Amino acid sequence: MTSSPTDGSVSVKTESPTSFKSYSITGNIQQLLRHVKVENLVAGLSGGVVSTMVLHPLDLVKIRFAVSDGLDLRPKYNGIIHCMRSVWQQEGLRGLYQGATPNIWGAGASWGLYFFFYNAIKAYTKEGRQTELSATEHLVSAAEAGILTLTITNPIWVTKTRLILQYNSDPSSKQYKGMVDALIKIYQQEGVRGLYRGYIPGLFGTSHGALQFMAYEELKRDYTKYKNMAPEQKLNPLEYITMAALSKIFAVATTYPYQVVRARLQDQHNKYNGVTDVIRRTWRNEGARGFYKGIGPNVIRVTPACCITFVVYENVSRLLLGQYNSVLT
């Protein structure tokens, strides 16, 4: 019902539910975009690249253990040191950094996008509020950031896994010559579906990042309160390292089996009919222990990797945002 303009009342325009919903979504997106900061992307990318360049050999070891399901074609390793020594003897330093290119691209992009989306979503959620976000809100923000990041980067992780699982030391006999070659061949032979192998367990894996970021944020908040510090006050590197390590170990211990499932789905040497088939066959052939293969090298790798990433991120983001704010003022 609308009133006449002449009777002094306010005219009310009615809209269809569809147009109202469209406006609402558009408004929310615009509101979210106001909180986007490229500095977070650059800082996260920097942290991811640095940590991956340092620790990639341990990632290679972790994946080779994760897919170790008894196939004769796979090399047999007696532990982390034996695996690294065997790869070094057969292929040298280049062998230990097999798959490093997509790993660096993937880790850099993943950490950059994760911090990019996470901080934007977190700021959007907190807009207009004086109170800090709750643990649940940190968890949800991190999970949403993880889903967006995974959707963009999953093809890179597939190529990394495929490159790492090339066991032949002769470059001419390898199926994939590099990251771009792997992307092209996977797409040609398996289509888009091939590039998104492991995506479903990867979605579950977003709970890993969500739990990690929730724990990290809660540890930071409780620690700053304990020290009577301002919430945004900078901590020293050792404090960042401690919180990053504790939050990472908590997340790894909680969610590691999905990484085994994901790696096996992406493995070119074995064929599974989906997540359920991987879980069933792994349980039948290897028991519960099969879901934790490679967790040793993974913890050894991801804990320092996480510490490096977070320390680099916190310092680079503060540097960039500080310069940005100084320019504005």
Side-chain angles (χ1 to χ4, degrees), residues 189-254:
Q189 296 167 12
E190 304 171 52
V192 174
R193 187 173 182 178
L195 293 172
Y196 278 86
R197 286 188 181 275
Y199 181 76
I200 299 301
L203 285 176
F204 176 75
T206 60
S207 65
H208 174 102
L211 288 168
Q212 178 189 341
F213 271 70
M214 179 196 71
Y216 183 74
E217 295 281 8
E218 293 299 303
L219 284 169
K220 271 206 311 184
R221 183 173 65 184
D222 291 345
Y223 184 77
T224 53
K225 283 182 179 178
Y226 173 74
K227 288 284 191 177
N228 293 320
M229 300 165 65
E232 299 304 320
Q233 188 171 338
K234 183 179 178 181
L235 305 178
N236 65 49
L238 180 59
E239 290 168 327
Y240 283 131
I241 286 171
T242 302
M243 292 172 197
L246 290 173
S247 62
K248 190 65 176 181
I249 291 170
F250 165 68
V252 169
T254 307

Short mmCIF file of all heavy atoms in Angstrom, two decimals, residues 189-254:
data_model
loop_
_atom_site.label_atom_id
_atom_site.label_comp_id
_atom_site.label_asym_id
_atom_site.label_seq_id
_atom_site.Cartn_x
_atom_site.Cartn_y
_atom_site.Cartn_z
N GLN A 189 43.85 -35.41 -19.95
CA GLN A 189 43.56 -36.82 -19.73
C GLN A 189 42.39 -37.06 -18.77
O GLN A 189 41.68 -38.06 -18.88
CB GLN A 189 44.81 -37.52 -19.18
CG GLN A 189 45.97 -37.53 -20.18
CD GLN A 189 47.30 -37.94 -19.54
OE1 GLN A 189 47.34 -38.42 -18.41
NE2 GLN A 189 48.39 -37.73 -20.27
N GLU A 190 42.19 -36.13 -17.83
CA GLU A 190 41.18 -36.36 -16.79
C GLU A 190 40.14 -35.25 -16.67
O GLU A 190 39.19 -35.37 -15.90
CB GLU A 190 41.87 -36.56 -15.44
CG GLU A 190 42.91 -37.68 -15.44
CD GLU A 190 43.73 -37.69 -14.16
OE1 GLU A 190 43.12 -37.70 -13.08
OE2 GLU A 190 44.97 -37.69 -14.24
N GLY A 191 40.36 -34.17 -17.41
CA GLY A 191 39.42 -33.06 -17.37
C GLY A 191 39.51 -32.27 -16.07
O GLY A 191 40.43 -32.44 -15.27
N VAL A 192 38.52 -31.41 -15.88
CA VAL A 192 38.48 -30.57 -14.67
C VAL A 192 38.41 -31.44 -13.42
O VAL A 192 38.99 -31.13 -12.38
CB VAL A 192 37.27 -29.61 -14.73
CG1 VAL A 192 37.12 -28.84 -13.42
CG2 VAL A 192 37.42 -28.64 -15.90
N ARG A 193 37.73 -32.57 -13.55
CA ARG A 193 37.59 -33.47 -12.41
C ARG A 193 38.96 -33.93 -11.90
O ARG A 193 39.17 -34.08 -10.69
CB ARG A 193 36.74 -34.68 -12.81
CG ARG A 193 36.41 -35.60 -11.66
CD ARG A 193 35.43 -36.68 -12.09
NE ARG A 193 35.06 -37.54 -10.98
CZ ARG A 193 34.19 -38.53 -11.07
NH1 ARG A 193 33.58 -38.77 -12.23
NH2 ARG A 193 33.91 -39.27 -10.02
N GLY A 194 39.89 -34.16 -12.82
CA GLY A 194 41.23 -34.57 -12.42
C GLY A 194 41.95 -33.50 -11.63
O GLY A 194 42.70 -33.80 -10.69
N LEU A 195 41.74 -32.25 -12.01
CA LEU A 195 42.38 -31.14 -11.31
C LEU A 195 41.79 -30.91 -9.92
O LEU A 195 42.39 -30.23 -9.09
CB LEU A 195 42.26 -29.86 -12.14
CG LEU A 195 43.04 -29.84 -13.46
CD1 LEU A 195 42.68 -28.61 -14.27
CD2 LEU A 195 44.54 -29.89 -13.21
N TYR A 196 40.59 -31.46 -9.71
CA TYR A 196 39.94 -31.29 -8.40
C TYR A 196 39.85 -32.59 -7.62
O TYR A 196 39.01 -32.73 -6.73
CB TYR A 196 38.57 -30.63 -8.58
CG TYR A 196 38.71 -29.13 -8.71
CD1 TYR A 196 38.97 -28.54 -9.94
CD2 TYR A 196 38.69 -28.31 -7.58
CE1 TYR A 196 39.16 -27.18 -10.05
CE2 TYR A 196 38.87 -26.95 -7.69
CZ TYR A 196 39.11 -26.38 -8.92
OH TYR A 196 39.31 -25.02 -9.02
N ARG A 197 40.75 -33.53 -7.94
CA ARG A 197 40.84 -34.73 -7.12
C ARG A 197 41.27 -34.34 -5.70
O ARG A 197 42.16 -33.53 -5.53
CB ARG A 197 41.84 -35.73 -7.72
CG ARG A 197 41.32 -36.43 -8.96
CD ARG A 197 42.27 -37.53 -9.40
NE ARG A 197 41.78 -38.19 -10.61
CZ ARG A 197 40.91 -39.18 -10.63
NH1 ARG A 197 40.41 -39.63 -9.47
NH2 ARG A 197 40.52 -39.73 -11.76
N GLY A 198 40.64 -34.96 -4.73
CA GLY A 198 40.98 -34.65 -3.35
C GLY A 198 40.28 -33.41 -2.81
O GLY A 198 40.54 -32.99 -1.68
N TYR A 199 39.39 -32.82 -3.63
CA TYR A 199 38.73 -31.58 -3.19
C TYR A 199 37.80 -31.82 -2.00
O TYR A 199 37.77 -31.01 -1.06
CB TYR A 199 37.94 -30.99 -4.36
CG TYR A 199 37.23 -29.68 -4.02
CD1 TYR A 199 37.95 -28.50 -3.91
CD2 TYR A 199 35.86 -29.65 -3.81
CE1 TYR A 199 37.32 -27.30 -3.60
CE2 TYR A 199 35.22 -28.45 -3.50
CZ TYR A 199 35.95 -27.29 -3.40
OH TYR A 199 35.32 -26.11 -3.09
N ILE A 200 37.07 -32.95 -2.02
CA ILE A 200 36.13 -33.23 -0.93
C ILE A 200 36.85 -33.41 0.41
O ILE A 200 36.51 -32.74 1.39
CB ILE A 200 35.24 -34.45 -1.25
CG1 ILE A 200 34.42 -34.19 -2.52
CG2 ILE A 200 34.33 -34.78 -0.08
CD1 ILE A 200 33.51 -32.99 -2.44
N PRO A 201 37.87 -34.30 0.48
CA PRO A 201 38.61 -34.34 1.75
C PRO A 201 39.32 -33.03 2.05
O PRO A 201 39.55 -32.69 3.21
CB PRO A 201 39.61 -35.49 1.55
CG PRO A 201 39.68 -35.72 0.09
CD PRO A 201 38.34 -35.34 -0.45
N GLY A 202 39.65 -32.28 0.99
CA GLY A 202 40.24 -30.96 1.20
C GLY A 202 39.28 -30.01 1.90
O GLY A 202 39.69 -29.19 2.73
N LEU A 203 37.99 -30.14 1.57
CA LEU A 203 36.99 -29.33 2.26
C LEU A 203 36.96 -29.65 3.74
O LEU A 203 36.84 -28.77 4.59
CB LEU A 203 35.60 -29.56 1.65
CG LEU A 203 35.32 -28.92 0.29
CD1 LEU A 203 33.95 -29.33 -0.22
CD2 LEU A 203 35.42 -27.40 0.37
N PHE A 204 37.07 -30.95 4.04
CA PHE A 204 37.17 -31.32 5.45
C PHE A 204 38.44 -30.73 6.05
O PHE A 204 38.47 -30.33 7.21
CB PHE A 204 37.18 -32.85 5.61
CG PHE A 204 37.38 -33.30 7.03
CD1 PHE A 204 36.35 -33.21 7.95
CD2 PHE A 204 38.61 -33.79 7.44
CE1 PHE A 204 36.54 -33.61 9.27
CE2 PHE A 204 38.81 -34.19 8.75
CZ PHE A 204 37.77 -34.10 9.67
N GLY A 205 39.47 -30.65 5.21
CA GLY A 205 40.74 -30.09 5.68
C GLY A 205 40.65 -28.63 6.04
O GLY A 205 41.52 -28.11 6.75
N THR A 206 39.63 -27.93 5.55
CA THR A 206 39.48 -26.53 5.96
C THR A 206 39.23 -26.44 7.47
O THR A 206 39.49 -25.41 8.08
CB THR A 206 38.32 -25.84 5.21
OG1 THR A 206 37.09 -26.52 5.49
CG2 THR A 206 38.57 -25.83 3.71
N SER A 207 38.75 -27.55 8.05
CA SER A 207 38.58 -27.57 9.50
C SER A 207 39.94 -27.49 10.19
O SER A 207 40.06 -26.96 11.30
CB SER A 207 37.85 -28.83 9.95
OG SER A 207 38.62 -29.99 9.66
N HIS A 208 40.98 -28.00 9.50
CA HIS A 208 42.34 -27.91 10.05
C HIS A 208 42.75 -26.45 10.22
O HIS A 208 43.17 -26.02 11.29
CB HIS A 208 43.30 -28.63 9.10
CG HIS A 208 44.75 -28.50 9.48
ND1 HIS A 208 45.44 -29.50 10.11
CD2 HIS A 208 45.63 -27.48 9.32
CE1 HIS A 208 46.68 -29.10 10.33
NE2 HIS A 208 46.82 -27.88 9.85
N GLY A 209 42.62 -25.69 9.12
CA GLY A 209 42.97 -24.28 9.19
C GLY A 209 42.08 -23.51 10.14
O GLY A 209 42.54 -22.62 10.86
N ALA A 210 40.80 -23.88 10.15
CA ALA A 210 39.86 -23.19 11.04
C ALA A 210 40.23 -23.42 12.51
O ALA A 210 40.24 -22.48 13.31
CB ALA A 210 38.44 -23.67 10.77
N LEU A 211 40.54 -24.67 12.84
CA LEU A 211 40.94 -24.97 14.22
C LEU A 211 42.26 -24.29 14.58
O LEU A 211 42.42 -23.77 15.69
CB LEU A 211 41.07 -26.49 14.40
CG LEU A 211 39.77 -27.29 14.41
CD1 LEU A 211 40.05 -28.78 14.29
CD2 LEU A 211 38.97 -27.00 15.67
N GLN A 212 43.17 -24.27 13.62
CA GLN A 212 44.47 -23.64 13.87
C GLN A 212 44.31 -22.14 14.12
O GLN A 212 44.87 -21.60 15.08
CB GLN A 212 45.40 -23.88 12.68
CG GLN A 212 46.75 -23.20 12.83
CD GLN A 212 47.57 -23.27 11.55
OE1 GLN A 212 47.31 -24.09 10.68
NE2 GLN A 212 48.57 -22.41 11.44
N PHE A 213 43.56 -21.47 13.25
CA PHE A 213 43.41 -20.02 13.40
C PHE A 213 42.60 -19.67 14.65
O PHE A 213 42.88 -18.68 15.32
CB PHE A 213 42.75 -19.43 12.15
CG PHE A 213 43.74 -19.04 11.09
CD1 PHE A 213 44.44 -20.00 10.39
CD2 PHE A 213 44.00 -17.71 10.81
CE1 PHE A 213 45.37 -19.66 9.42
CE2 PHE A 213 44.92 -17.34 9.85
CZ PHE A 213 45.62 -18.32 9.15
N MET A 214 41.59 -20.49 14.95
CA MET A 214 40.83 -20.25 16.17
C MET A 214 41.74 -20.36 17.39
O MET A 214 41.73 -19.48 18.27
CB MET A 214 39.69 -21.27 16.29
CG MET A 214 38.86 -21.11 17.55
SD MET A 214 37.84 -22.55 17.91
CE MET A 214 39.09 -23.75 18.41
N ALA A 215 42.55 -21.43 17.43
CA ALA A 215 43.46 -21.62 18.56
C ALA A 215 44.48 -20.48 18.64
O ALA A 215 44.78 -19.97 19.72
CB ALA A 215 44.16 -22.97 18.43
N TYR A 216 45.00 -20.08 17.48
CA TYR A 216 46.00 -19.01 17.43
C TYR A 216 45.42 -17.69 17.94
O TYR A 216 46.04 -16.99 18.76
CB TYR A 216 46.50 -18.85 16.00
CG TYR A 216 47.59 -17.82 15.81
CD1 TYR A 216 48.89 -18.07 16.23
CD2 TYR A 216 47.32 -16.60 15.19
CE1 TYR A 216 49.89 -17.13 16.04
CE2 TYR A 216 48.31 -15.66 15.00
CZ TYR A 216 49.60 -15.92 15.43
OH TYR A 216 50.58 -14.99 15.24
N GLU A 217 44.23 -17.36 17.47
CA GLU A 217 43.59 -16.11 17.89
C GLU A 217 43.26 -16.13 19.39
O GLU A 217 43.44 -15.14 20.09
CB GLU A 217 42.30 -15.89 17.09
CG GLU A 217 42.52 -15.66 15.60
CD GLU A 217 42.97 -14.25 15.27
OE1 GLU A 217 43.26 -13.47 16.20
OE2 GLU A 217 43.01 -13.92 14.07
N GLU A 218 42.77 -17.28 19.87
CA GLU A 218 42.42 -17.37 21.28
C GLU A 218 43.66 -17.31 22.17
O GLU A 218 43.65 -16.68 23.23
CB GLU A 218 41.65 -18.68 21.54
CG GLU A 218 40.27 -18.73 20.89
CD GLU A 218 39.35 -17.63 21.39
OE1 GLU A 218 39.13 -17.56 22.62
OE2 GLU A 218 38.87 -16.83 20.57
N LEU A 219 44.73 -17.96 21.73
CA LEU A 219 45.98 -17.90 22.49
C LEU A 219 46.51 -16.47 22.55
O LEU A 219 46.95 -16.00 23.61
CB LEU A 219 47.03 -18.82 21.85
CG LEU A 219 46.88 -20.32 22.10
CD1 LEU A 219 47.82 -21.11 21.19
CD2 LEU A 219 47.17 -20.66 23.57
N LYS A 220 46.47 -15.78 21.40
CA LYS A 220 46.94 -14.39 21.37
C LYS A 220 46.09 -13.51 22.28
O LYS A 220 46.63 -12.68 23.03
CB LYS A 220 46.88 -13.84 19.93
CG LYS A 220 48.12 -14.06 19.13
CD LYS A 220 48.33 -13.04 18.02
CE LYS A 220 47.13 -12.81 17.16
NZ LYS A 220 47.42 -11.88 16.04
N ARG A 221 44.79 -13.69 22.20
CA ARG A 221 43.90 -12.85 23.01
C ARG A 221 44.11 -13.09 24.50
O ARG A 221 44.24 -12.14 25.29
CB ARG A 221 42.44 -13.12 22.64
CG ARG A 221 41.45 -12.22 23.39
CD ARG A 221 40.05 -12.39 22.89
NE ARG A 221 39.54 -13.73 23.16
CZ ARG A 221 38.35 -14.15 22.76
NH1 ARG A 221 37.58 -13.36 22.03
NH2 ARG A 221 37.93 -15.36 23.04
N ASP A 222 44.16 -14.36 24.90
CA ASP A 222 44.35 -14.68 26.32
C ASP A 222 45.71 -14.22 26.81
O ASP A 222 45.85 -13.75 27.95
CB ASP A 222 44.19 -16.19 26.55
CG ASP A 222 42.75 -16.66 26.35
OD1 ASP A 222 41.85 -15.79 26.33
OD2 ASP A 222 42.53 -17.88 26.21
N TYR A 223 46.72 -14.35 25.95
CA TYR A 223 48.07 -13.95 26.35
C TYR A 223 48.17 -12.44 26.54
O TYR A 223 48.77 -11.96 27.51
CB TYR A 223 49.08 -14.43 25.31
CG TYR A 223 50.52 -14.15 25.69
CD1 TYR A 223 51.17 -14.94 26.63
CD2 TYR A 223 51.22 -13.11 25.10
CE1 TYR A 223 52.49 -14.69 26.99
CE2 TYR A 223 52.54 -12.85 25.44
CZ TYR A 223 53.17 -13.65 26.39
OH TYR A 223 54.48 -13.39 26.74
N THR A 224 47.60 -11.69 25.60
CA THR A 224 47.66 -10.22 25.73
C THR A 224 46.87 -9.74 26.94
O THR A 224 47.27 -8.78 27.60
CB THR A 224 47.12 -9.54 24.45
OG1 THR A 224 45.81 -10.06 24.14
CG2 THR A 224 48.04 -9.78 23.27
N LYS A 225 45.77 -10.42 27.25
CA LYS A 225 45.02 -10.07 28.46
C LYS A 225 45.85 -10.36 29.70
O LYS A 225 45.89 -9.58 30.65
CB LYS A 225 43.71 -10.86 28.51
CG LYS A 225 42.62 -10.33 27.59
CD LYS A 225 41.34 -11.13 27.76
CE LYS A 225 40.24 -10.58 26.86
NZ LYS A 225 38.99 -11.38 26.98
N TYR A 226 46.51 -11.53 29.70
CA TYR A 226 47.34 -11.92 30.84
C TYR A 226 48.47 -10.91 31.06
O TYR A 226 48.84 -10.60 32.19
CB TYR A 226 47.90 -13.32 30.59
CG TYR A 226 48.91 -13.78 31.61
CD1 TYR A 226 48.50 -14.17 32.89
CD2 TYR A 226 50.26 -13.83 31.29
CE1 TYR A 226 49.44 -14.59 33.82
CE2 TYR A 226 51.20 -14.25 32.22
CZ TYR A 226 50.78 -14.63 33.49
OH TYR A 226 51.71 -15.04 34.41
N LYS A 227 49.02 -10.40 29.95
CA LYS A 227 50.13 -9.45 30.03
C LYS A 227 49.66 -8.00 30.12
O LYS A 227 50.49 -7.08 30.14
CB LYS A 227 51.02 -9.60 28.78
CG LYS A 227 51.85 -10.88 28.75
CD LYS A 227 53.02 -10.77 29.70
CE LYS A 227 54.01 -11.88 29.51
NZ LYS A 227 55.19 -11.73 30.39
N ASN A 228 48.33 -7.80 30.16
CA ASN A 228 47.75 -6.44 30.19
C ASN A 228 48.23 -5.60 29.01
O ASN A 228 48.60 -4.43 29.15
CB ASN A 228 48.11 -5.74 31.51
CG ASN A 228 47.44 -6.39 32.70
OD1 ASN A 228 46.27 -6.79 32.62
ND2 ASN A 228 48.16 -6.52 33.80
N MET A 229 48.23 -6.22 27.84
CA MET A 229 48.65 -5.54 26.62
C MET A 229 47.42 -5.18 25.78
O MET A 229 46.37 -5.81 25.91
CB MET A 229 49.58 -6.45 25.80
CG MET A 229 50.86 -6.85 26.53
SD MET A 229 51.71 -8.24 25.74
CE MET A 229 52.17 -7.51 24.17
N ALA A 230 47.58 -4.19 24.91
CA ALA A 230 46.51 -3.85 23.98
C ALA A 230 46.35 -4.99 22.98
O ALA A 230 47.34 -5.63 22.60
CB ALA A 230 46.85 -2.55 23.25
N PRO A 231 45.12 -5.27 22.52
CA PRO A 231 44.88 -6.40 21.61
C PRO A 231 45.73 -6.37 20.35
O PRO A 231 46.14 -7.41 19.84
CB PRO A 231 43.39 -6.28 21.28
CG PRO A 231 42.80 -5.55 22.43
CD PRO A 231 43.86 -4.60 22.90
N GLU A 232 46.00 -5.16 19.83
CA GLU A 232 46.75 -5.05 18.57
C GLU A 232 48.24 -4.82 18.79
O GLU A 232 48.98 -4.60 17.83
CB GLU A 232 46.18 -3.89 17.73
CG GLU A 232 44.72 -4.06 17.35
CD GLU A 232 44.46 -5.35 16.60
OE1 GLU A 232 45.30 -5.72 15.75
OE2 GLU A 232 43.44 -5.99 16.87
N GLN A 233 48.68 -4.88 20.04
CA GLN A 233 50.10 -4.64 20.31
C GLN A 233 50.96 -5.77 19.77
O GLN A 233 50.61 -6.95 19.88
CB GLN A 233 50.33 -4.50 21.82
CG GLN A 233 51.74 -4.05 22.18
CD GLN A 233 51.86 -3.71 23.67
OE1 GLN A 233 50.85 -3.42 24.32
NE2 GLN A 233 53.07 -3.75 24.20
N LYS A 234 52.10 -5.41 19.19
CA LYS A 234 52.98 -6.40 18.57
C LYS A 234 53.68 -7.24 19.63
O LYS A 234 54.15 -6.73 20.64
CB LYS A 234 54.02 -5.69 17.70
CG LYS A 234 54.95 -6.64 16.95
CD LYS A 234 55.94 -5.87 16.10
CE LYS A 234 56.90 -6.82 15.39
NZ LYS A 234 57.89 -6.10 14.57
N LEU A 235 53.74 -8.55 19.39
CA LEU A 235 54.45 -9.46 20.27
C LEU A 235 55.85 -9.69 19.71
O LEU A 235 56.15 -9.34 18.57
CB LEU A 235 53.70 -10.79 20.37
CG LEU A 235 52.24 -10.72 20.82
CD1 LEU A 235 51.61 -12.11 20.82
CD2 LEU A 235 52.11 -10.08 22.19
N ASN A 236 56.71 -10.32 20.51
CA ASN A 236 58.04 -10.62 19.99
C ASN A 236 58.02 -11.94 19.21
O ASN A 236 57.08 -12.73 19.34
CB ASN A 236 59.08 -10.64 21.13
CG ASN A 236 58.83 -11.77 22.12
OD1 ASN A 236 58.64 -12.93 21.74
ND2 ASN A 236 58.84 -11.44 23.41
N PRO A 237 59.04 -12.20 18.39
CA PRO A 237 59.03 -13.41 17.55
C PRO A 237 58.85 -14.71 18.32
O PRO A 237 58.15 -15.62 17.86
CB PRO A 237 60.40 -13.36 16.86
CG PRO A 237 60.73 -11.91 16.80
CD PRO A 237 60.18 -11.33 18.07
N LEU A 238 59.46 -14.82 19.49
CA LEU A 238 59.34 -16.05 20.28
C LEU A 238 57.89 -16.29 20.70
O LEU A 238 57.41 -17.43 20.70
CB LEU A 238 60.25 -15.99 21.51
CG LEU A 238 60.22 -17.23 22.42
CD1 LEU A 238 60.64 -18.47 21.64
CD2 LEU A 238 61.12 -17.02 23.64
N GLU A 239 57.19 -15.23 21.04
CA GLU A 239 55.79 -15.36 21.44
C GLU A 239 54.92 -15.80 20.26
O GLU A 239 54.05 -16.66 20.39
CB GLU A 239 55.29 -14.03 22.02
CG GLU A 239 55.92 -13.70 23.37
CD GLU A 239 55.67 -12.26 23.81
OE1 GLU A 239 55.60 -11.37 22.93
OE2 GLU A 239 55.57 -12.01 25.03
N TYR A 240 55.18 -15.21 19.09
CA TYR A 240 54.45 -15.64 17.88
C TYR A 240 54.75 -17.11 17.56
O TYR A 240 53.85 -17.89 17.21
CB TYR A 240 54.83 -14.77 16.68
CG TYR A 240 54.20 -13.40 16.67
CD1 TYR A 240 54.98 -12.26 16.45
CD2 TYR A 240 52.83 -13.24 16.85
CE1 TYR A 240 54.41 -10.99 16.42
CE2 TYR A 240 52.25 -11.97 16.82
CZ TYR A 240 53.05 -10.85 16.61
OH TYR A 240 52.47 -9.60 16.58
N ILE A 241 56.02 -17.49 17.67
CA ILE A 241 56.43 -18.86 17.36
C ILE A 241 55.73 -19.85 18.30
O ILE A 241 55.23 -20.89 17.86
CB ILE A 241 57.97 -19.00 17.47
CG1 ILE A 241 58.63 -18.31 16.27
CG2 ILE A 241 58.39 -20.46 17.55
CD1 ILE A 241 60.14 -18.20 16.39
N THR A 242 55.71 -19.53 19.58
CA THR A 242 55.08 -20.43 20.56
C THR A 242 53.60 -20.63 20.26
O THR A 242 53.10 -21.76 20.25
CB THR A 242 55.25 -19.87 21.99
OG1 THR A 242 56.65 -19.70 22.26
CG2 THR A 242 54.65 -20.81 23.01
N MET A 243 52.90 -19.55 20.00
CA MET A 243 51.46 -19.65 19.73
C MET A 243 51.18 -20.35 18.41
O MET A 243 50.25 -21.15 18.29
CB MET A 243 50.84 -18.25 19.73
CG MET A 243 50.84 -17.62 21.10
SD MET A 243 50.32 -15.90 21.05
CE MET A 243 50.91 -15.35 22.65
N ALA A 244 52.01 -20.07 17.41
CA ALA A 244 51.83 -20.72 16.11
C ALA A 244 52.08 -22.22 16.23
O ALA A 244 51.34 -23.04 15.67
CB ALA A 244 52.78 -20.11 15.08
N ALA A 245 53.12 -22.60 16.97
CA ALA A 245 53.46 -24.03 17.13
C ALA A 245 52.36 -24.78 17.87
O ALA A 245 51.93 -25.86 17.45
CB ALA A 245 54.79 -24.17 17.86
N LEU A 246 51.89 -24.21 18.97
CA LEU A 246 50.84 -24.87 19.76
C LEU A 246 49.55 -25.02 18.96
O LEU A 246 48.90 -26.08 18.98
CB LEU A 246 50.58 -24.08 21.04
CG LEU A 246 51.69 -24.11 22.10
CD1 LEU A 246 51.38 -23.15 23.24
CD2 LEU A 246 51.89 -25.52 22.64
N SER A 247 49.18 -23.97 18.24
CA SER A 247 47.94 -24.04 17.46
C SER A 247 48.07 -25.03 16.31
O SER A 247 47.11 -25.74 15.97
CB SER A 247 47.57 -22.65 16.92
OG SER A 247 48.56 -22.14 16.05
N LYS A 248 49.26 -25.13 15.72
CA LYS A 248 49.46 -26.05 14.60
C LYS A 248 49.44 -27.50 15.06
O LYS A 248 48.81 -28.35 14.42
CB LYS A 248 50.80 -25.74 13.91
CG LYS A 248 50.98 -26.48 12.59
CD LYS A 248 49.95 -25.99 11.58
CE LYS A 248 50.12 -26.61 10.22
NZ LYS A 248 49.12 -26.10 9.26
N ILE A 249 50.11 -27.79 16.14
CA ILE A 249 50.13 -29.17 16.66
C ILE A 249 48.72 -29.61 17.02
O ILE A 249 48.31 -30.75 16.74
CB ILE A 249 51.08 -29.27 17.87
CG1 ILE A 249 52.53 -29.10 17.40
CG2 ILE A 249 50.91 -30.61 18.58
CD1 ILE A 249 53.54 -28.94 18.53
N PHE A 250 47.95 -28.73 17.62
CA PHE A 250 46.56 -29.02 17.96
C PHE A 250 45.76 -29.36 16.70
O PHE A 250 45.01 -30.35 16.66
CB PHE A 250 45.95 -27.81 18.68
CG PHE A 250 44.45 -27.84 18.78
CD1 PHE A 250 43.80 -28.77 19.57
CD2 PHE A 250 43.68 -26.92 18.07
CE1 PHE A 250 42.42 -28.79 19.66
CE2 PHE A 250 42.30 -26.92 18.16
CZ PHE A 250 41.67 -27.87 18.95
N ALA A 251 45.92 -28.56 15.65
CA ALA A 251 45.16 -28.79 14.42
C ALA A 251 45.60 -30.07 13.71
O ALA A 251 44.77 -30.83 13.20
CB ALA A 251 45.33 -27.58 13.48
N VAL A 252 46.91 -30.32 13.67
CA VAL A 252 47.42 -31.53 13.00
C VAL A 252 46.91 -32.79 13.69
O VAL A 252 46.42 -33.73 13.04
CB VAL A 252 48.96 -31.53 12.98
CG1 VAL A 252 49.49 -32.90 12.54
CG2 VAL A 252 49.48 -30.46 12.03
N ALA A 253 47.02 -32.82 15.00
CA ALA A 253 46.59 -34.00 15.75
C ALA A 253 45.11 -34.28 15.56
O ALA A 253 44.68 -35.44 15.58
CB ALA A 253 46.89 -33.80 17.24
N THR A 254 44.34 -33.25 15.33
CA THR A 254 42.89 -33.40 15.20
C THR A 254 42.46 -33.85 13.81
O THR A 254 41.51 -34.63 13.67
CB THR A 254 42.19 -32.05 15.53
OG1 THR A 254 42.64 -31.59 16.81
CG2 THR A 254 40.68 -32.22 15.58
#
